Amino acid sequence: MSIINEIKPLVQAALLELYGYSATEKDLTINSTKPEFEGDYTLVLFSFVKQLKKSPEQLGEELGTALVQKSPALFTAYNVIKGFLNLSVADQYWTGFLNTHYGQTRFGSKPPAAKKVMVEYASPNTNKPLHLGHLRNIFLGWSTAAILKESGHEVYKTCISNDRGIHICKSMVTWQLYGNGSTPESTGTKGDHFVGDYYVKFGVVQKEQMAELMEKGMDKKEAEAAAPIMKAAQQMLVDWEAGKPEVIALWKQMNSWVYSGFDITYKRIGADFDKTYYESDTYLLGKKAVQDGLAKKVFTQKEDGSVWIDLTADGLDEKVVQRKDGTAVYITQDIGLAAQKQEEFGCDQSIYVVADEQNYHFKVLKLICEKLGIPGAAGIYHLSYGMVELPDGRMKTREGTVVDADDMVEEMVNVARAKTEELGKVKDFTPEELKELYDTIALGALKFFLLRVDPKKRMIFNPEESIDFHGFTGPFVQYTHARIKSVLRKAAEAGFVIDGPVPEIGLFKLERDLIIMLEQYPTVLEQAVAEHNPSVIAIFVFNLAKAFNTFYTEHSVMNAESEDKKRLRLRMAAMTANVIASGMGLLGIKVPERM
């Protein structure tokens, strides 16, 4: 139980005893006291002033006096500033909290609960490698799932591979025309990069052919459709839909190259899934969804044979759910898959991690699923996030300006190596230890930088900035953890035991500040779950690392004023390291013992 949840019933009891007023927990607003005021926690009084017919100052004085008198083990003093009652918590409470929790490696975790949650993320196209935008998606999805699991939920991680459609056929037809039978193995190229190169080449060839057609008098739109390579891709899609054996064989072969490449990347960045769905298996589910919708009169069929739903009464618009030629559109595929996933897993909530370009799509999806009566429809949640851009602008796949995920990871490793060598503190590391350290720092920097920003916001990624050991970065937090571990090792090597009772001793301000922050970690976890927002965790562990460094600069641990102070500070260090490791772990980031 957090201290705020301990304070609330005491305030309720005081209000009832003093004024006969029954307040609910929701009536009480209690926050950390602002740094410029004396106190630890602040009760907002304005919501009671009118009902109790008292001035804020009088109410604060009476409540403050009652709380200090009734709970002297918790409160030592109070002050009233306008409509705010600031309460000072006893040092003994904080030392008691520390002594209870300093050894817990998963402080703040909750036991398993009944709620089932599915998180769908990654969802790549199989015509190109994963890129920087995918990394934000993957890290956000993986971290959201980890935070939910830490909070006691039963979590399933899923992925949908977009393995069919014209974009896939573009890579296939270009390989047929220009591949000369080459393979990833024969060229020494990673499978997803190999196929992606042909997708980029498609765009190059199409532009060349368009230029020739435009010289002959066609406009740009006509030339785009009439380019021979585009016509070949469209024919290949028709042949795939018809199940032409040689096309299906090529499709399977090229997809297998891509999946092999994806698996290498997923393993490198620490991503995993409980189940992967494939669009080639699910696109037919849309047709069943259409028939169900027509039978329930949720959908209507127009004279040309197309099927629609009218959502204007819900503040949206009319939406086609099946084309006049009988083919499904993306929304109907998603409806069918939503129903199938619910049948398989029966989740209370289904979270889709998809960029904010699809905000409207998911509003429509949820609404249609609800109208069709699909179980779990109310639990559909779009975890919308902003796009990642580079300092020089937005990435474009067909123009070859996308930053591949693999290339970004390698660049980060190189930057980590250079930055670490500048510090010159790893001379006693073996080559194997250095390799692991550079990987840990590089991926930590990458993940932290992409996760520290609220998902709703667009962001610019700068590799050099992300790996600054003194900035708002993963390596800064990792270095703080390693620093604490060094202190704890020195204490152990000196034979000092941090276990055992600690007498009640007073706390300096920086000691109190650090322990108070540690106590708030479970509340931060709850906020991250409620908001589906890993940046809450990232910001907290960064501020915790800063608070520890400020404390450590001011107060010696190994040369503390007394043995009791030494033991207290070592416990503070141990708990800080545990909370940093826990929080960073929920972001998918390892924290080294040495740096």
Side-chain angles (χ1 to χ4, degrees):
M1 180 187 292
S2 72
I3 188 171
I4 290 177
N5 290 332
E6 290 186 48
I7 294 173
K8 282 184 176 181
L10 298 176
V11 173
Q12 287 174 290
L15 286 168
L16 189 62
E17 184 176 335
L18 289 171
Y19 314 113
Y21 179 75
S22 297
T24 66
E25 278 198 20
K26 290 183 179 179
D27 296 329
L28 306 179
T29 301
I30 301 174
N31 302 309
S32 297
T33 302
K34 293 181 178 179
E36 59 266 31
F37 300 119
E38 186 178 345
D40 298 314
Y41 286 90
T42 298
L43 171 67
V44 180
L45 301 171
F46 294 112
S47 56
F48 313 117
V49 170
K50 189 174 181 181
Q51 295 94 320
L52 300 179
K53 298 179 180 179
K54 289 181 176 288
S55 70
E57 291 75 16
Q58 182 184 1
L59 178 58
E61 288 290 339
E62 291 172 355
L63 260 181
T65 299
L67 289 169
V68 170
Q69 289 177 348
K70 293 284 186 181
S71 306
L74 182 57
F75 303 117
T76 57
Y78 72 91
N79 65 84
V80 183
I81 298 179
K82 297 184 178 179
F84 302 95
L85 172 60
N86 302 319
L87 298 162
S88 297
V89 177
D91 285 354
Q92 288 75 15
Y93 176 88
W94 298 120
T95 54
F97 161 79
L98 180 68
N99 294 336
T100 300
H101 299 290
Y102 74 90
Q104 294 179 5
T105 56
R106 289 184 61 197
F107 172 63
S109 66
K110 292 183 178 179
K115 194 171 182 181
K116 290 183 179 181
V117 184
M118 177 177 289
V119 184
E120 179 188 292
Y121 59 98
S123 305
N125 294 332
T126 59
N127 62 316
K128 54 190 175 183
L130 302 172
H131 56 66
L132 182 56
H134 285 117
L135 291 180
R136 188 179 198 194
N137 180 302
I138 292 166
F139 298 156
L140 184 57
W142 190 96
S143 182
T144 297
I147 292 167
L148 287 164
K149 189 174 182 180
E150 188 75 354
S151 299
H153 300 300
E154 186 177 343
V155 181
Y156 302 97
K157 294 179 283 189
T158 64
C159 173
I160 174 76
S161 271
N162 300 302
D163 64 343
R164 62 172 289 275
I166 190 66
H167 52 294
I168 310 299
C169 293
K170 288 177 180 179
S171 295
M172 291 166 61
V173 76
T174 310
W175 180 85
Q176 275 189 330
L177 291 170
Y178 302 100
N180 298 314
S182 61
T183 66
E185 293 78 14
S186 70
T187 59
T189 309
K190 190 164 167 281
D192 50 338
H193 288 260
F194 179 84
V195 173
D197 288 343
Y198 286 100
Y199 182 71
V200 172
K201 186 170 181 62
F202 176 93
V204 173
V205 174
Q206 185 185 25
K207 277 187 176 180
E208 291 172 352
Q209 293 177 349
M210 285 172 60
E212 292 177 8
L213 293 171
M214 289 166 70
E215 282 181 7
K216 295 176 181 178
M218 282 191 186
D219 63 30
K220 185 177 179 180
K221 190 173 181 180
E222 289 174 326
E224 189 175 13
I229 197 168
M230 185 64 187
K231 285 191 169 183
Q234 290 171 333
Q235 182 59 50
M236 183 167 281
L237 180 59
V238 172
D239 292 341
W240 184 91
E241 294 271 2
K244 197 171 182 180
E246 59 269 32
V247 172
I248 296 298
L250 176 60
W251 170 75
K252 288 181 178 179
Q253 178 63 74
M254 293 188 74
N255 273 344
S256 72
W257 292 337
V258 173
Y259 294 137
S260 176
F262 283 174
D263 288 344
I264 293 169
T265 305
Y266 289 143
K267 186 176 181 181
R268 181 81 190 275
I269 65 176
D272 62 316
F273 309 97
D274 297 305
K275 179 161 186 177
T276 298
Y277 292 95
Y278 300 91
E279 190 187 343
S280 55
D281 294 330
T282 64
Y283 82 106
L284 293 176
L285 295 172
K287 295 192 175 183
K288 181 180 182 302
V290 169
Q291 295 308 310
D292 290 345
L294 286 170
K296 293 177 180 179
K297 298 186 178 179
V298 174
F299 300 154
T300 56
Q301 192 161 22
K302 296 193 174 182
E303 290 182 4
D304 64 358
S306 61
V307 180
W308 295 71
I309 182 170
D310 186 354
L311 299 174
T312 52
D314 300 284
L316 302 177
D317 59 11
E318 286 189 281
K319 179 74 177 177
V320 63
V321 294
Q322 183 173 282
R323 301 183 187 93
K324 61 184 179 182
D325 61 4
T327 58
V329 295
Y330 277 116
I331 195 75
T332 38
Q333 296 174 42
D334 286 347
I335 295 164
L337 182 55
Q340 180 178 320
K341 289 195 292 189
Q342 192 63 24
E343 287 175 12
E344 292 179 19
F345 293 95
C347 290
D348 302 287
Q349 186 177 46
S350 185
I351 299 171
Y352 295 80
V353 184
V354 182
D356 56 12
E357 294 175 322
Q358 297 296 323
N359 286 350
Y360 185 79
H361 175 89
F362 282 98
K363 285 181 183 178
V364 173
L365 174 64
K366 181 173 183 175
L367 192 54
I368 293 177
C369 288
E370 288 175 337
K371 289 180 181 295
L372 290 174
I374 293 174
I380 290 175
Y381 179 87
H382 176 206
L383 205 176
S384 173
Y385 65 91
M387 303 297 284
V388 183
E389 297 181 5
L390 298 172
D392 55 355
R394 187 170 177 177
M395 302 175 289
K396 295 181 181 178
T397 303
R398 281 199 293 176
E399 294 180 12
T401 61
V402 163
V403 176
D404 289 333
D406 300 313
D407 294 340
M408 177 56 70
V409 171
E410 286 308 314
E411 180 179 348
M412 294 299 293
V413 170
N414 292 333
V415 175
R417 182 184 297 109
K419 294 277 188 180
T420 306
E421 288 173 355
E422 280 178 23
L423 294 176
K425 296 184 179 182
V426 291
K427 293 177 182 177
D428 60 334
F429 280 52
T430 67
E432 292 76 19
E433 288 172 333
L434 281 175
K435 183 180 183 305
E436 182 178 355
L437 179 63
Y438 297 148
D439 267 17
T440 299
I441 294 172
L443 286 170
L446 186 58
K447 291 182 180 183
F448 192 91
F449 203 89
L450 292 176
L451 290 173
R452 71 177 194 174
V453 178
D454 187 305
K456 299 180 187 67
K457 296 180 180 178
R458 294 198 168 209
M459 64 173 298
I460 295 174
F461 181 77
N462 186 320
E464 286 286 338
E465 182 185 346
S466 73
I467 215 159
D468 182 355
F469 282 84
H470 303 288
F472 180 15
T473 66
F476 170 78
V477 181
Q478 290 172 319
Y479 183 75
T480 301
H481 179 269
R483 186 183 199 184
I484 295 171
K485 286 296 187 177
S486 175
V487 172
L488 295 173
R489 280 195 302 273
K490 288 176 182 176
E493 289 165 3
F496 192 89
V497 179
I498 68 172
D499 294 328
V502 174
E504 293 183 354
I505 52 178
L507 298 172
F508 293 111
K509 182 180 184 305
L510 293 178
E511 292 172 331
R512 284 172 58 85
D513 290 348
L514 184 59
I515 298 173
I516 289 171
M517 186 175 286
L518 288 167
E519 191 274 340
Q520 293 169 350
Y521 181 56
T523 303
V524 171
L525 279 177
E526 290 176 3
Q527 181 187 349
V529 169
E531 297 177 5
H532 300 98
N533 185 359
S535 75
V536 172
I537 304 289
I539 293 167
F540 175 82
V541 292
F542 170 71
N543 287 330
L544 179 62
K546 274 205 311 182
F548 179 85
N549 286 319
T550 301
F551 149 76
Y552 188 70
T553 300
E554 188 72 22
H555 298 292
S556 173
V557 174
M558 295 302 291
N559 296 309
E561 299 86 339
S562 67
E563 292 291 285
D564 288 336
K565 272 289 184 185
K566 185 175 180 179
R567 183 169 286 112
L568 174 82
R569 289 174 187 170
L570 283 169
R571 291 183 180 185
M572 291 168 59
M575 187 167 184
T576 301
N578 285 339
V579 170
I580 285 176
S582 172
M584 293 288 270
L586 295 178
L587 302 177
I589 299 172
K590 296 178 182 177
V591 283
E593 298 284 310
R594 296 190 301 152
M595 276 181 75

